Amino acid sequence: MADKSDVTLPLSISAGIHIGVIIILALGIDFSHKPEPMQQVSAPAVKAVMVDQQKVANQVEKLKQEKRDAERREQERQAELERKAQEAKQAREREQAQIKQLEQERKQQEIETQKANEAAKLAQVKQQQEKEKAVKAEADRKLKEQERKVAEDAAQKAAEKRKVEEAAAAKAETDRKQKEAEAKAKAEKAKADAEAKAEAKAKADAKAKADAKAKADAEAKARAQQEQEMADALAAEQAALSQTMNKQMQSEVGKYQAMIKSTIQRNLVVDESMRGKTCTVSVRLANDGFVISSQTKGGDPNVCRAAKAAILKAGKLPVSPDPAVYNLMKEINLIVEPTF
């Protein structure tokens, strides 16, 4: 019985020490000094206790190292989260700068469009003034009935064509303004969405910040695509406006070609042998209408001689004061057909 008690007592002491160490570790208490051995324990018990204490010390040191490693990993994780948050903030600032730049470019485009419209209106006023002068000159000279009829028919067709082109230009302008309004509304909505998402990101925890960065990247890509679509729409509108302006200039060219033919007809000396015959003439004009040169390209010889003589007699032919229109008609080919 005595031997059994000698063994049981050290085992009980060892178990008690283990339980005490586990409780200390669970509570986070750290003791640097070693416990004093009990004076009344026998030699075998003391040896068992010392062995157990070494194991416990090793276990404690291992747990401390794991705790230090965990703290180091947590610090690294927090530093990574801070870095990602900073990158997200910089991305938002870049997006705001891009939106501001696009707004400035849109305003500049509106100014340029307004200038182009004012220039077109001024050209239209000049065109109307030239038309009134031409009509008054025709009335004063009392030309032949056939020449007057040709001039009036040409002027009527030009006016009708101009009305159609003006209606098309008005429709294009209405469509452009509507598209600009839609584009502005989309840009404002995109800006509001970006601000709302930025506020949500600021209130989110570390995990939400990482998820928000991926979402912000996707939204930035979608916004870039939307802005590209807006730019394409504006380019299409500019092309339509340019096409309308070209049509107006072609109308002006047609009007002045009719006036040039009328001038040649007034100076054309005809006879019965020319009836039903024509001649193609190439004419080069200075910007004031002075005839630099004229050359026949084919046709009845008598009509060609009479046409060159009529052009030489006229000396100057009607030209548009608009430089763009003049560039289109400074070298023209005309078909001269005598009228009786």
Side-chain angles (χ1 to χ4, degrees):
M1 294 295 292
D3 296 335
K4 186 176 182 180
S5 298
D6 291 339
V7 176
T8 303
L9 180 60
L11 291 176
S12 300
I13 294 172
S14 177
I17 292 172
H18 279 83
I19 294 172
V21 170
I22 292 172
I23 292 172
I24 290 170
L25 292 175
L27 295 176
I29 301 173
D30 185 14
F31 294 97
S32 59
H33 64 278
K34 296 182 180 179
E36 297 180 358
M38 297 181 64
Q39 297 295 327
Q40 297 177 357
V41 179
S42 61
V46 171
K47 182 177 181 181
V49 169
M50 292 181 66
V51 172
D52 290 340
Q53 286 179 349
Q54 183 62 40
K55 291 182 179 179
V56 170
N58 293 339
Q59 185 66 23
V60 169
E61 182 62 27
K62 181 180 179 181
L63 292 174
K64 287 182 179 180
Q65 183 63 38
E66 291 178 351
K67 183 178 180 181
R68 287 193 294 270
D69 292 343
E71 290 175 351
R72 177 179 53 77
R73 287 193 297 271
E74 179 63 19
Q75 290 176 355
E76 292 176 352
R77 188 178 71 86
Q78 290 292 335
E80 178 65 14
L81 290 175
E82 291 295 330
R83 183 185 65 79
K84 291 182 178 179
Q86 184 65 24
E87 290 178 354
K89 180 180 178 182
Q90 293 175 354
R92 290 195 301 273
E93 291 175 352
R94 288 195 295 271
E95 289 174 5
Q96 293 296 328
Q98 291 176 354
I99 291 173
K100 183 176 180 181
Q101 178 65 25
L102 288 173
E103 181 65 17
Q104 292 176 350
E105 292 176 356
R106 184 188 64 76
K107 290 181 179 179
Q108 182 63 30
Q109 186 65 35
E110 288 180 352
I111 294 172
E112 293 176 356
T113 302
Q114 183 178 0
K115 290 181 179 179
N117 291 338
E118 291 175 355
K121 290 179 181 179
L122 181 60
Q124 185 177 0
V125 171
K126 290 182 179 179
Q127 175 185 348
Q128 185 63 28
Q129 292 175 349
E130 291 296 332
K131 178 183 175 182
E132 292 173 356
K133 290 179 182 179
V135 171
K136 185 177 182 299
E138 289 295 325
D140 293 339
R141 284 189 289 269
K142 302 293 184 181
L143 298 176
K144 296 179 182 180
E145 185 64 20
Q146 184 64 29
E147 293 177 344
R148 184 184 63 80
K149 184 177 183 301
V150 171
E152 288 178 350
D153 291 343
Q156 183 178 0
K157 290 179 180 179
E160 292 174 353
K161 186 176 182 180
R162 186 171 61 254
K163 288 180 181 179
V164 173
E165 292 171 348
E166 288 174 351
K171 184 178 183 302
E173 179 65 14
T174 301
D175 294 341
R176 183 189 64 78
K177 289 181 179 179
Q178 182 178 359
K179 289 180 180 179
E180 284 182 351
E182 294 174 353
K184 183 178 179 181
K186 288 181 180 179
E188 291 175 350
K189 183 177 182 301
K191 182 179 179 181
D193 292 342
E195 292 174 351
K197 290 173 183 177
E199 184 178 359
K201 289 176 185 178
K203 295 179 180 179
D205 57 10
K207 184 177 182 302
K209 288 180 181 179
D211 294 339
K213 181 178 183 299
K215 186 175 181 181
D217 292 341
E219 289 175 351
K221 183 177 180 181
R223 190 178 300 110
Q225 182 177 0
Q226 184 183 60
E227 291 169 353
Q228 183 61 41
E229 291 174 355
M230 291 167 56
D232 293 341
L234 289 175
E237 291 172 2
Q238 290 297 322
L241 181 60
S242 176
Q243 185 177 7
T244 301
M245 294 295 293
N246 288 336
K247 288 181 179 179
Q248 291 178 351
M249 286 194 293
Q250 291 296 333
S251 177
E252 279 290 289
V253 171
K255 184 186 77 172
Y256 278 94
Q257 283 182 343
M259 294 171 64
I260 290 172
K261 285 185 178 181
S262 179
T263 301
I264 294 174
Q265 289 287 350
R266 287 197 305 272
N267 293 281
L268 190 67
V269 178
V270 300
D271 56 44
E272 282 297 322
S273 66
M274 300 179 185
R275 185 181 294 275
K277 298 177 180 178
T278 62
C279 179
T280 301
V281 182
S282 176
V283 181
R284 291 183 61 196
L285 300 173
N287 57 8
D288 62 349
F290 179 79
V291 179
I292 298 174
S293 65
S294 63
Q295 185 177 0
T296 59
K297 296 293 187 179
D300 181 77
N302 293 332
V303 177
C304 289
R305 281 194 295 272
K308 290 199 67 173
I311 294 171
L312 182 62
K313 182 179 179 182
K316 282 187 176 183
L317 297 175
V319 293
S320 173
D322 189 342
V325 178
Y326 165 73
N327 286 332
L328 294 176
M329 60 177 298
K330 62 184 179 181
E331 294 185 9
I332 58 173
N333 292 325
L334 302 171
I335 298 176
V336 179
E337 182 177 6
T339 58
F340 295 85

